[in-house]
Amino acid sequence: MVVTNEKSVSEAIKYRRSVRVFKNEAIDTEKVKECIHLATLAPTSSNMQLWEFYHVVSPEIIQEIAKASFDQNAAKTAQQLVVIVARKDLWRKRVQSNIDYLKTQYGNKPATEYSKREKFALNYYQKIIPTLYFDFLGIIGMLKFLIFQVIGIFKPIYRQARQSDMRIVAHKSAGLAAQNFMLSMAAVNYDTCPMEGFDSLRVKKILHLSASAEINMILGCGIRDEKGVYGERFRIPFEETYIKI
Ligand SMILES: Cc1cc2nc3c(=O)[nH]c(=O)nc-3n(C[C@H](O)[C@H](O)[C@H](O)COP(=O)(O)O)c2cc1C
């Protein structure tokens, strides 16, 4: 039997808080890396994995990013930072990786011998996904959106095909990875603070990110100081947000 002192999922969920002040105590880079690895196991739209994870361990870069994050305590006192980047622009590369993976799963046989299910999956990445992701200055996306609205009068159809919709698709999945990461950290008694309060242009420059890369979240990492959690957890009464149908 493997003995582990990691928290259960519900324990980790309850333990996780947004920590604004971290102790001046080093955390294990390998453990954080393992939590990033667990983050990549999050579900992702069409398994496109349009994300990258920048694990910042350099104290100088952390301070540069903290400055670009309005000197927030959660960044300034962090021992390490994880920057989750949405890479919608990598869609062609990810489509190819999915196709290559599917083919390895199908084995070495001619395409004519593929089953219906196998053909459907390949078609999904070869035709449907490129139809959704291909765009030019947002114009094709808008055209697709309008065409889908018309088709949608007659039958159910996927409607979110604009450039802005596809950004949301990439950010949604990146957010799930962020939550996986924070809970994995909580499970091993490490703390985090998700942040969107930063100057994205400056942080992108610091990390040498391309113009098309979009920062989803910056996560401060460390061990909570006793004054690091600003008060009790506040949530809107559950009955107000829970709707049973
Ligand atoms: C997308 C996102 C962005 C956030 N940005 C910041 C931030 O810039 N600075 C900060 O101190 N907290 C930030 N937070 C933390 C929230 O304020 C916090 O999650 C909320 O108050 C609930 O507290 P809890 O996480 O301790 O349950 C952010 C949280 C999320 C999910």
Side-chain angles (χ1 to χ4, degrees):
M1 200 180 95
V2 183
V3 180
T4 164
N5 52 9
E6 280 190 17
K7 291 180 170 55
S8 68
V9 175
S10 47
E11 282 167 348
I13 289 173
K14 287 173 192 154
Y15 180 78
R16 185 212 62 78
R17 292 298 312 275
S18 293
V19 168
R20 274 50 182 253
V21 186
F22 297 100
K23 276 187 187 167
N24 188 14
E25 188 181 319
I27 53 173
D28 185 342
T29 301
E30 282 308 305
K31 273 195 193 173
V32 178
K33 190 174 171 188
E34 178 53 26
C35 293
I36 297 174
H37 193 219
L38 291 171
T40 69
L41 303 186
T44 159
S45 178
S46 303
N47 205 9
M48 287 286 277
Q49 302 166 56
L50 295 167
W51 54 35
E52 279 176 340
F53 301 85
Y54 290 78
H55 184 180
V56 186
V57 297
S58 149
E60 294 78 33
I61 307 287
I62 291 172
Q63 284 322 309
E64 273 184 56
I65 294 178
K67 231 175 120 189
S69 308
F70 320 121
D71 267 328
Q72 291 194 48
N73 278 337
K76 225 165 43 179
T77 66
Q79 290 292 315
Q80 298 182 15
L81 294 175
V82 172
V83 184
I84 302 186
V85 179
R87 293 294 308 265
K88 181 170 78 70
D89 57 312
L90 293 182
W91 70 267
R92 284 187 181 81
K93 205 173 160 195
R94 298 293 195 257
V95 157
Q96 196 53 51
S97 301
N98 270 286
I99 291 171
D100 293 347
Y101 170 73
L102 286 176
K103 286 186 176 167
T104 62
Q105 295 303 295
Y106 298 168
N108 196 12
K109 60 183 176 193
T112 48
E113 283 175 28
Y114 287 158
S115 70
K116 245 180 147 178
R117 208 170 130 235
E118 288 169 340
K119 274 187 203 151
F120 176 84
L122 266 184
N123 187 56
Y124 184 73
Y125 287 106
Q126 285 168 336
K127 304 230 170 74
I128 298 175
I129 289 290
T131 304
L132 274 176
Y133 278 88
F134 179 76
D135 207 339
F136 179 71
L137 302 173
I139 301 163
I140 310 269
M142 192 47 89
L143 273 176
K144 277 186 288 188
F145 176 77
L146 292 173
I147 292 166
F148 291 170
Q149 298 312 304
V150 175
I151 299 172
I153 298 171
F154 306 101
K155 61 175 191 178
I157 188 141
Y158 187 79
R159 292 168 191 265
Q160 289 77 31
R162 287 167 297 190
Q163 201 172 42
S164 55
D165 295 320
M166 299 319 286
R167 286 184 59 222
I168 292 173
V169 169
H171 280 278
K172 252 193 252 181
S173 296
L176 295 179
Q179 180 68 346
N180 254 24
F181 173 72
M182 290 188 280
L183 294 181
S184 305
M185 290 282 280
V188 295
N189 290 320
Y190 279 176
D191 289 295
T192 51
C193 185
M195 286 175 278
E196 60 187 359
F198 52 84
D199 178 332
S200 56
L201 196 67
R202 283 191 160 77
V203 179
K204 276 169 74 168
K205 265 193 192 147
I206 296 166
L207 296 175
H208 307 292
L209 297 178
S210 63
S212 47
E214 292 187 10
I215 299 174
N216 174 261
M217 236 179 276
I218 299 180
L219 296 137
C221 307
I223 295 168
R224 64 182 72 179
D225 184 86
E226 54 197 40
K227 295 190 198 81
V229 177
Y230 295 170
E232 291 293 307
R233 188 167 355 227
F234 164 67
R235 287 297 183 270
I236 304 294
F238 185 67
E239 296 68 36
E240 243 183 81
T241 55
Y242 172 75
I243 299 107
K244 190 175 178 187
I245 296 178

